[in-house]
Amino acid sequence: MTLSRRDFAKRSAVAGAGVALTGSVGVLASAPGALAAGVPEQRGARPRPARPPGYGPLVRDPKGLLALPAGFSYRVVTRAGVTRLESGESTPSNHDGTAAFEGPRGTTLLVNNHELKGPRAGWKYPVPLAEGLVYDPAASGGCTVVEVSHDGAHVTEWVGIAGTSTNCAGGATPWGTWLTCEETEDKAGQNGMTKTHGYVFEVDPHDRRAHRAPKPVKALGRYAHEAVVTDPARGHLYLTEDAAGPNGLFYRWTPPAGFRHGRGRLRTLADDAGRLQAFKCFDSGGRFVDDLSRATRPGTVYGVDWVDVPDRDAASVSVRKQFKEGEVTRARKLEGMWWGDGGAYVVASYAREESPVQHDGQVWFYNPRRRTLTLKVRFGVNKDPERDGAFDGPDNITVSPHGGLVVAEDGEGVQHLFGALDDGRTYPIARNELNMGTAQKPDYSEFTGVTFSPDGRTLFANIQEPGIMLAITGPWRRQ
């Protein structure tokens, strides 16, 4: 059943401002340059705690790697060219999306994407071509599985999948596996590839045999995938596309009748199984919304309809180019996602000249029951990205067991991990101090793969270049 423009307009007229404030609101509001949908204080409500959020100011690292609040410490888990796989080969570079799973004997298993695009010769530390785990021997990307002890110490690391390309983000599934996403549209014969890319693959951190002879889940489409989340109640998968010219799309995959999710089940699907659809938004007046950047007021709510993708494998035309003007809604830099509060948090990292309106980040919430998309946060264009604390470019996100969200920054200038609470306050958690540029023109790589250990005691995050996985511990407390 679709939600028509007329139905949404009627619902909005009846519900009024309540539609704009459904779910958790106010996330990230206190970030410099950010605006968030807030909730007015209610009479009789408990006053906000006087203590500021977070753990205090960041303390510079004498080792020049990671600034943290006093009392916190970090451990380098893996580092490209330094740590070794159990095969003796180097840890691959360009760490990206990551998820944590309970491992044997109190350990944690981390599946770590390596965003390496193009031929293997172009990279010093590609993902090794482990026997039986290779999709395309010409491709340099893939995933590794890292086993760490209860305190984040490196135990061992092995290849989860190899021969894939540009493994950016992805998503953990409710059944305990990792979906790794290729952010590319290279076909066989393009850019040195011998197989066609742009797919999603499933990696099981607990069963090395499960992903032998890797098979892409073609039912989820072929495009520049970024992230994926699973609706555990309905079985839908939601996927983001990071692309421009034209801007990318937000997708929903509906499983075929009778299909039941589980370990290894996705690879049994036919290439055209289920329905892959792209979203189409309209405002409370029933007017079509061509691009998410047009929303400039947090609390803005759009109704969402879903439009079938004509050719999900993009045999001759990229999926996002198969739609005519007015058929779907677009957005630049659709990136990280996280399932929580009964829906999907979706990040658009920024918009520039290719979009109707420029910004330095949006966080949206899709409510599948209401079929609505609510703008939670909007970052204005950051005029001073070199200033510490001027957050911009949200990318990977995760829900914190200590309250609120933890956001990995992929903006310009200084790069942070920062926390964000539902009442709108933010606080710094870490700052990348590894300068890959010069003193005159510093260059700091983005943070990626932010995720907590299953027990909530360790925050894992990556510095993408050169490729460093970090385990952060300290006096975490409820925020």
Side-chain angles (χ1 to χ4, degrees):
M1 173 180 168
T2 60
L3 178 67
S4 70
R5 295 181 180 86
R6 182 176 299 175
D7 290 340
F8 179 69
K10 287 181 179 179
R11 179 186 296 178
S12 300
V14 172
V19 173
L21 299 175
T22 56
S24 300
V25 295
V27 177
L28 310 183
S30 66
L35 297 174
V39 178
E41 292 188 7
Q42 300 297 318
R43 182 174 298 176
R46 291 192 304 173
R48 292 180 178 177
R51 184 180 66 188
Y55 305 95
L58 301 180
V59 179
R60 293 191 66 86
D61 180 8
K63 297 181 180 179
L65 183 58
L66 192 71
L68 294 169
F72 281 75
S73 61
Y74 69 87
R75 185 192 296 265
V76 174
V77 180
T78 66
R79 183 164 185 157
V82 178
T83 53
R84 298 284 171 179
L85 307 181
E86 62 181 22
S87 61
E89 295 154 299
S90 171
T91 293
S93 64
N94 292 62
H95 298 28
D96 210 290
T98 307
F101 304 87
E102 290 187 6
R105 301 176 298 280
T107 62
T108 296
L109 299 178
L110 296 138
V111 185
N112 185 203
N113 278 359
H114 297 276
E115 190 180 16
L116 300 163
K117 181 180 176 64
R120 301 179 62 78
W123 300 98
K124 187 175 182 179
Y125 301 114
V127 177
L129 299 178
E131 183 181 357
L133 301 176
V134 179
Y135 171 66
D136 180 353
S140 49
C143 299
T144 54
V145 182
V146 184
E147 182 178 342
V148 299
S149 63
H150 70 280
D151 59 354
H154 179 278
V155 176
T156 188
E157 182 180 11
W158 63 90
V159 173
I161 189 172
T164 51
S165 178
T166 326
N167 298 69
C168 196
T173 67
W175 52 92
T177 63
W178 170 251
L179 299 178
T180 182
C181 295
E182 292 188 305
E183 189 188 339
T184 180
E185 296 181 60
D186 285 342
K187 292 183 178 181
Q190 294 179 336
N191 203 18
M193 299 297 97
T194 63
K195 288 189 175 182
T196 296
H197 294 265
Y199 296 115
V200 176
F201 295 79
E202 186 170 22
V203 176
D204 190 335
H206 300 95
D207 185 358
R208 304 192 193 196
R209 299 168 299 177
H211 29 94
R212 295 188 69 83
K215 180 183 178 183
V217 186
K218 293 187 176 182
L220 302 181
R222 193 182 74 81
Y223 45 90
H225 287 273
E226 180 70 29
V228 55
V229 295
T230 305
D231 180 342
R234 301 166 184 82
H236 293 130
L237 270 63
Y238 294 92
L239 308 103
T240 51
E241 178 182 30
D242 182 2
N247 285 346
L249 306 176
F250 182 46
Y251 298 92
R252 181 184 72 177
W253 179 77
T254 303
F259 179 79
R260 291 185 177 274
H261 284 295
R263 276 191 164 90
R265 293 284 297 149
L266 288 173
R267 66 180 290 158
T268 68
L269 289 167
D271 293 349
D272 60 352
R275 296 177 69 186
L276 183 66
Q277 299 171 301
F279 78 152
K280 180 178 184 178
C281 297
F282 44 93
D283 66 18
S284 59
R287 294 175 291 269
F288 168 69
V289 179
D290 63 337
D291 194 283
L292 291 186
S293 69
R294 296 212 182 264
T296 59
R297 182 177 61 85
T300 297
V301 180
Y302 293 146
V304 176
D305 208 347
W306 295 97
V307 183
D308 288 340
V309 170
D311 173 21
R312 72 181 78 184
D313 204 49
S316 58
V317 178
S318 297
V319 171
R320 71 185 184 281
K321 297 179 181 179
Q322 295 172 23
F323 296 96
K324 298 177 182 178
E325 184 177 350
E327 291 185 328
V328 292
T329 299
R330 302 183 183 277
R332 182 72 174 102
K333 295 296 289 182
L334 286 170
E335 301 250 14
M337 285 197 293
W338 191 270
W339 186 267
D341 299 327
Y345 287 95
V346 185
V347 171
S349 285
Y350 64 79
R352 291 292 184 264
E353 291 79 4
E354 77 291 322
S355 303
V357 182
Q358 296 187 35
H359 62 74
D360 258 345
Q362 295 175 322
V363 180
W364 295 84
F365 180 78
Y366 176 68
N367 185 323
R369 183 175 64 85
R370 291 177 174 265
R371 296 191 296 276
T372 56
L373 188 72
T374 303
L375 179 61
K376 299 298 187 182
V377 180
R378 182 181 185 273
F379 289 78
V381 174
N382 185 359
K383 300 296 186 181
D384 188 11
E386 303 302 328
R387 180 171 65 88
D388 189 19
F391 305 141
D392 60 15
D395 196 327
N396 287 176
I397 57 173
T398 189
V399 171
S400 170
H402 311 288
L405 299 176
V406 175
V407 182
E409 191 177 13
D410 178 16
E412 299 180 21
V414 183
Q415 304 294 320
H416 300 87
L417 297 175
F418 62 94
L421 305 181
D422 285 344
D423 64 5
R425 296 174 296 166
T426 62
Y427 57 93
I429 295 174
R431 181 179 63 242
N432 178 10
E433 296 197 326
L434 182 61
N435 183 5
M436 300 183 68
T438 65
Q440 292 73 30
K441 294 184 178 181
D443 182 19
Y444 300 95
S445 177
E446 66 181 278
F447 280 106
T448 63
V450 59
T451 187
F452 275 92
S453 60
D455 63 10
R457 296 179 180 178
T458 304
L459 175 64
F460 296 97
N462 308 314
I463 296 175
Q464 186 175 64
E465 296 181 37
I468 303 172
M469 178 184 286
L470 301 159
I472 301 170
T473 55
W476 302 109
R477 63 173 183 265
R478 189 71 184 173
Q479 296 294 317

